[in-house]
Amino acid sequence: MIQIKHDCREELREADLKATPARLGILQALEHTSKPLDVNSLISYLKRHNIKADDVTVFRIMHMLSDRGLVTPLQLGEGKFRYEHSGREDHHHFICESCGSIEDVSDCNINVIEKEIQKKKGFLVKRHSLEFFGICKSCRH
């Protein structure tokens, strides 16, 4: 499990958002997982924790949190968005094309490539996304 050390209420306040139970629950779900979560997983999390929010509300919250930079939306070739808390350390993902499992890849030397892009092309890289697709160890055996 991943633990981001901060106060969710304060984080919402700084983003000029009210700290509703659903917003707090979603941020807490995202900070306590090592995997990007889709909306259905977040809805299930809220239900398990007795937090009332219908599907439309959760979609609106995710859009709002994404717009305010509190969560990062990811598209991993599944035809849906998954989300991670924006406070997580920089990392990438390996996605198994057989079982759909997702693993973090954090030992990637992308910073060198970013510096080269800035130096050679003059671009200022603000963020990047890199995913690896293949077959996980469990599915290969």
Side-chain angles (χ1 to χ4, degrees), residues 16-52:
D16 202 27
L17 295 171
K18 185 177 177 186
T20 66
R23 291 174 186 165
L24 288 168
I26 287 169
L27 286 176
Q28 290 166 352
L30 292 172
E31 24 175 70
H32 292 100
T33 185
S34 62
K35 309 240 185 277
L37 300 177
D38 63 10
V39 170
N40 288 332
S41 298
L42 292 166
I43 291 168
S44 295
Y45 178 90
L46 293 175
K47 284 181 183 175
R48 283 192 313 274
H49 290 85
N50 297 314
I51 299 170
K52 295 185 193 272

Side-chain angles (χ1 to χ4, degrees), residues 46-112:
L46 293 175
K47 284 181 183 175
R48 283 192 313 274
H49 290 85
N50 297 314
I51 299 170
K52 295 185 193 272
D54 61 32
D55 297 6
V56 173
T57 300
V58 174
F59 276 100
R60 285 183 184 148
I61 290 171
M62 297 317 298
H63 183 73
M64 185 182 317
L65 295 177
S66 178
D67 283 349
R68 302 288 172 99
L70 301 178
V71 302
T72 303
L74 305 166
Q75 286 187 304
L76 303 176
E78 306 167 292
K80 64 180 174 182
F81 280 101
R82 289 181 179 266
Y83 299 89
E84 289 184 319
H85 192 281
S86 295
R88 300 231 5 241
E89 288 186 24
D90 195 20
H91 65 283
H92 311 287
H93 302 97
F94 172 82
I95 300 96
C96 180
E97 293 176 319
S98 181
C99 70
S101 69
I102 301 169
E103 297 292 327
D104 284 355
V105 177
S106 58
D107 54 351
C108 187
N109 198 6
I110 196 74
N111 294 338
V112 173

